[in-house]
Amino acid sequence: MQVFELGELLSIKKIVSLRKGVAFFMSNSINITEKKYNKLIIQTNLNGFVFCIFDTLNNKVIAIKEINFSTYSTVSKIEDYFWKAFSEHKELSSKYDEILVIHDSNLNTFVPKAMFDEQFLGSYLQYNTKVFETDFFTFDEISNHEMNNVYIPFVNINNYLLDQFESFNYKHSGSVLLEKLFAITKNNDEKQVFVHFTSDRFDLVVIQNQNLILFNSFEYKTPEDFIYYLLFTAEQLQLNPENFKLQLLGSISKEDSYYEIAYKYIRNVSLLDVYEIMKQNDLTTAQNLKHFILLQS
């Protein structure tokens, strides 16, 4: 995760327009005659974003596209990156019944509701994230699991999108991932280990009997980085590499060196089974794994 401009990126220009999980200028009710039966989801980080357009009437993916900010070498501000992307992809400026923005970062932590106080959001993050007085904190409720995901959204990104859409909902990527993994592991009492890969970090999730045992994020550059963190975590949780089942998803394939090194040290390794998910779209197995969070939002 790039942090060299984090203070600027998280500065608050329109704090009055931001609420928990919602960004808006005004109430934006939709008349039934104006419904488009479509939904736009944008999953963003500091390196780029992916957007997906859904046909909500037929429950179908219309389009999915990735935008890498490195292709825009002549600009440096996050708002300029988005401006370039919006000018090149006119579908982003269309009208949508629903818009969801997913903030993809490791600037988060999960807090049990019994220990949660909305007045002290920043205090929950200070032990694993460098926080500033100007940071804006928010949280997502994890449905039916008595916990909240406290995080720092990319406020500059929200501000730019407010100028484009007037209103939208937003969540943290970890909230979507965890809720879907809870659903997948329902009625299974064994410890379930999942690793979700992005380009520069992986999220390691351990669930047992619908309880969150661990959710941690690690930055990596090599397969050796990945296997070190994985085996160290397994040791701390007393998970035997000969016994526990490891499921991989995100930017990963069986031909990937990260899969190969996991297979070398962990007896039971597989890609997450997305067969049922694929019934809901016409995308490939690789696309469903890579864009799991986006497609399940």
Side-chain angles (χ1 to χ4, degrees):
M1 174 64 66
Q2 300 178 21
V3 296
F4 58 93
E5 291 184 333
L6 199 54
E8 176 187 356
L9 290 168
L10 301 176
S11 63
I12 303 172
K13 296 187 296 182
K14 299 176 182 173
I15 187 65
V16 296
S17 301
L18 301 175
R19 299 292 186 270
K20 179 172 69 71
V22 182
F24 58 91
F25 279 135
M26 62 189 73
S27 176
N28 192 24
S29 58
I30 300 175
N31 188 294
I32 188 66
T33 60
E34 299 175 344
K35 282 184 70 68
K36 305 295 183 181
Y37 297 100
N38 57 18
K39 177 181 179 180
L40 173 66
I41 302 179
I42 297 175
Q43 183 175 349
T44 182
N45 56 42
L46 299 185
N47 300 315
F49 67 92
V50 185
F51 69 90
C52 183
I53 302 172
F54 284 93
D55 175 349
T56 56
L57 190 62
N58 299 299
N59 194 26
K60 182 179 180 181
V61 176
I62 299 175
I64 184 168
K65 294 184 180 179
E66 298 182 57
I67 311 297
N68 193 323
F69 291 156
S70 64
T71 60
Y72 304 133
S73 57
T74 58
V75 297
S76 58
K77 291 185 177 180
I78 197 74
E79 298 93 332
D80 294 335
Y81 287 130
F82 271 87
W83 180 85
K84 290 281 289 184
F86 270 68
S87 64
E88 293 179 4
H89 300 275
K90 300 302 182 182
E91 59 267 51
L92 286 169
S93 301
S94 299
K95 295 292 184 180
Y96 295 96
D97 297 337
E98 183 181 354
I99 299 171
L100 174 64
V101 177
I102 302 171
H103 293 261
D104 189 356
S105 76
N106 58 359
L107 306 174
N108 73 299
T109 190
F110 290 91
V111 181
K113 282 191 176 180
M115 302 174 61
F116 181 76
D117 187 332
E118 191 172 349
Q119 301 301 314
F120 301 99
L121 297 183
S123 63
Y124 299 117
L125 287 166
Q126 64 182 347
Y127 299 107
N128 61 1
T129 300
K130 187 174 183 180
V131 298
F132 301 90
E133 291 184 0
T134 55
D135 285 343
F136 173 71
F137 306 101
T138 188
F139 67 96
D140 299 330
E141 296 180 9
I142 307 302
S143 304
N144 303 318
H145 287 88
E146 294 299 312
M147 71 176 75
N148 295 321
N149 184 10
V150 179
Y151 63 100
I152 306 174
F154 300 125
V155 175
N156 277 28
I157 293 176
N158 273 359
N159 286 338
Y160 178 85
L161 295 177
L162 274 173
D163 292 335
Q164 308 304 312
F165 300 126
E166 294 187 348
S167 68
F168 55 86
N169 295 319
Y170 63 94
K171 297 183 72 172
H172 188 268
S173 58
S175 304
V176 180
L177 177 62
L178 188 56
E179 287 177 343
K180 296 308 173 183
L181 293 182
F182 272 136
I184 289 172
T185 58
K186 193 174 182 179
N187 301 322
N188 191 325
D189 295 338
E190 297 179 350
K191 283 185 180 178
Q192 304 285 297
V193 183
F194 301 89
V195 173
H196 179 274
F197 286 90
T198 67
S199 60
D200 57 1
R201 81 172 199 277
F202 66 87
D203 296 324
L204 177 57
V205 185
V206 182
I207 295 172
Q208 183 179 28
N209 196 24
Q210 292 294 284
N211 292 313
L212 178 62
I213 306 300
L214 175 81
F215 189 112
N216 206 351
S217 297
F218 301 91
E219 296 180 355
Y220 72 95
K221 293 183 179 179
T222 67
E224 289 73 23
D225 292 338
F226 159 61
I227 200 63
Y228 170 80
Y229 291 128
L230 176 60
L231 292 177
F232 178 79
T233 301
E235 181 182 10
Q236 299 304 304
L237 296 179
Q238 298 182 334
L239 294 170
N240 189 337
E242 292 291 318
N243 298 329
F244 77 84
K245 182 179 179 181
L246 174 65
Q247 299 181 69
L248 308 177
L249 67 157
S251 302
I252 188 72
S253 70
K254 285 189 175 181
E255 292 71 36
D256 199 300
S257 58
Y258 294 91
Y259 185 96
E260 292 177 355
I261 200 167
Y263 188 80
K264 180 179 180 181
Y265 289 96
I266 309 295
R267 178 175 291 275
N268 299 305
V269 180
S270 65
L271 298 177
L272 181 70
D273 184 357
V274 293
Y275 176 75
E276 292 298 323
I277 299 172
M278 291 177 66
K279 293 180 180 178
Q280 304 171 16
N281 58 60
D282 298 324
L283 303 177
T284 65
T285 300
Q287 287 175 310
N288 275 278
L289 283 169
K290 183 175 183 178
H291 302 301
F292 179 84
I293 292 175
L294 185 75
L295 295 171
Q296 297 302 299
S297 300

